[in-house]
Amino acid sequence: GSPELSGLAMAAELDAFTKVKKAIDDMVTELKSQQEEEVKHKEFCIAELNDNEKITYETEQTLEDLKTKIGSLADTIEKCEQAIEEAKEEISRMEVELKKASEIRKEENSNFQEEVMDQRAVQNILAKAIDRMRLVYKKKEGSLMQEDPNPPVQFQPYKQSASASPVIGLMEQIVEDSKAVEKDAMAAEQEAQTAYASFVADSEASIKQLNAQIDERTKAKAAAEAEKVETEATKDSTETQLESLAEAAADLHKQCDFVLKNFDVRQKARLQEIEALQEGKAILMGMKLE
């Protein structure tokens, strides 16, 4: 063994040790880096999954609220439609009642006019008859007075003249009765006309009020329908958002489930590997020192 060969052998040994040491150091550095990366990945996974879960829960609550609102708006629309239909039916019923009342009023007025004409005709005829009878009896009385200024009490023409008085009285009573009937008819007509006018006024006021209700309900229905369309659009976009969140969650689980499930085992295995490499390095260092 020449000193030169011995020197070369030592140089080769030192070079081999240096390469092995560097290789071990590189492997330890890489393993430590992997450990840190896995810790960061775990933290990322936990944070992202928690955020996804939280946002998903909030979005689901929003979706439920939107569905409830849509249901409430649909109920409002239905109630408005029902109220409008009921008001229209009530108006139709009132219009029928008004038409019927108008026809009855016309018939009543026609009967009244006929009654008044009949009574006045009776009154005119009887008035003329009474005037003629009075005239006739007045002439007879005049002629009797000229023949004998002091006729006997039992003279026949006086009996005939006296008998005419009850007939005129009876006819005058019939005229008075006819006037009373006419007056009653006029009072009844006035009362019926007043009642009819009051009924028409009340009905028209009710119809006006019902038409105002129809306008109000129509506007409320239109507003509810517009809001329902808008809310349904928001619901659709919220459902799309939930689908995206579900897809993101699925991707996260693909990335994270294995790491999260095996994190402790993998960390421990790497740590043991690092320790084993460091032990190997220490042994090599010891051998070199010898």
Side-chain angles (χ1 to χ4, degrees):
S2 70
E4 284 181 13
L5 284 171
S6 179
L8 282 168
M10 187 163 296
E13 189 181 339
L14 279 169
D15 188 45
F17 271 111
T18 302
K19 282 180 180 175
V20 171
K21 178 178 171 290
K22 187 177 183 307
I24 289 170
D25 286 344
D26 287 346
M27 285 176 75
V28 168
T29 301
E30 177 59 25
L31 286 166
K32 283 181 179 178
S33 175
Q34 285 176 15
Q35 289 285 75
E36 284 173 16
E37 282 300 314
E38 201 169 64
V39 168
K40 284 178 186 175
H41 189 53
K42 181 191 175 185
E43 286 171 355
F44 164 81
C45 285
I46 290 168
E48 287 295 311
L49 284 166
N50 283 345
D51 280 352
N52 182 282
E53 190 178 344
K54 183 186 173 187
I55 295 165
T56 299
Y57 174 77
E58 287 170 356
T59 309
E60 282 171 348
Q61 292 301 110
T62 301
L63 183 62
E64 287 305 309
D65 291 345
L66 289 166
K67 284 179 179 177
T68 302
K69 189 178 179 183
I70 289 165
S72 175
L73 288 164
D75 187 49
T76 299
I77 291 162
E78 189 182 343
K79 281 178 180 173
C80 283
E81 286 172 348
Q82 192 178 344
I84 289 164
E85 191 58 37
E86 285 172 2
K88 283 180 178 177
E89 284 174 8
E90 184 64 10
I91 287 169
S92 295
R93 188 190 66 77
M94 284 186 173
E95 283 172 346
V96 169
E97 290 295 320
L98 277 169
K99 191 179 177 186
K100 196 188 292 181
S102 175
E103 287 166 1
I104 291 168
R105 182 81 283 272
K106 280 178 187 173
E107 191 180 345
E108 282 176 349
N109 183 258
S110 176
N111 292 339
F112 160 74
Q113 299 282 358
E114 195 177 329
E115 178 71 20
V116 169
M117 284 172 68
D118 288 349
Q119 294 304 326
R120 286 181 181 174
V122 168
Q123 290 163 31
N124 288 334
I125 291 164
L126 289 175
K128 285 176 184 176
I130 289 165
D131 287 346
R132 287 186 71 183
M133 285 182 77
R134 280 183 176 154
L135 192 63
V136 168
Y137 283 111
K138 193 174 180 183
K139 282 180 181 177
K140 282 187 178 180
E141 284 174 6
S143 62
L144 284 167
M145 289 293 287
Q146 284 172 4
E147 285 176 15
D148 187 354
N150 298 303
V153 176
Q154 298 299 321
F155 193 69
Q156 188 64 32
Y158 274 98
K159 284 185 181 177
Q160 289 175 352
S161 177
S163 68
S165 181
V167 174
I168 292 170
L170 179 62
M171 289 169 74
E172 285 175 339
Q173 186 59 52
I174 291 168
V175 169
E176 289 304 312
D177 289 346
S178 175
K179 285 180 179 177
V181 169
E182 183 187 338
K183 189 179 176 184
D184 287 347
M186 288 180 83
E189 168 66 12
Q190 185 58 50
E191 190 179 337
Q193 179 59 32
T194 302
Y196 171 72
S198 177
F199 174 72
V200 169
D202 289 348
S203 297
E204 285 177 349
S206 295
I207 288 169
K208 188 179 177 183
Q209 190 177 3
L210 286 164
N211 276 319
Q213 284 177 16
I214 288 169
D215 288 344
E216 186 186 332
R217 296 289 185 182
T218 302
K219 285 174 187 171
K221 182 191 166 194
E225 283 173 338
E227 194 174 354
K228 185 168 174 274
V229 168
E230 190 181 329
T231 309
E232 282 170 344
T234 308
K235 178 184 84 80
D236 291 344
S237 67
T238 305
E239 284 172 340
T240 304
Q241 191 180 350
L242 273 173
E243 286 169 12
S244 298
L245 284 163
E247 287 170 11
D251 288 342
L252 282 167
H253 282 295
K254 281 179 189 173
Q255 293 177 48
C256 299
D257 284 357
F258 178 80
V259 172
L260 292 173
K261 188 178 178 184
N262 300 289
F263 179 78
D264 291 340
V265 174
R266 283 161 65 83
Q267 287 281 309
K268 189 177 178 183
R270 265 198 220 94
L271 196 60
Q272 286 172 348
E273 199 175 340
I274 289 165
E275 285 171 358
L277 285 166
Q278 285 172 337
E279 265 181 45
K281 182 183 167 185
I283 291 166
L284 283 170
M285 293 291 285
M287 284 172 65
K288 182 183 168 187
L289 291 168
E290 288 168 11

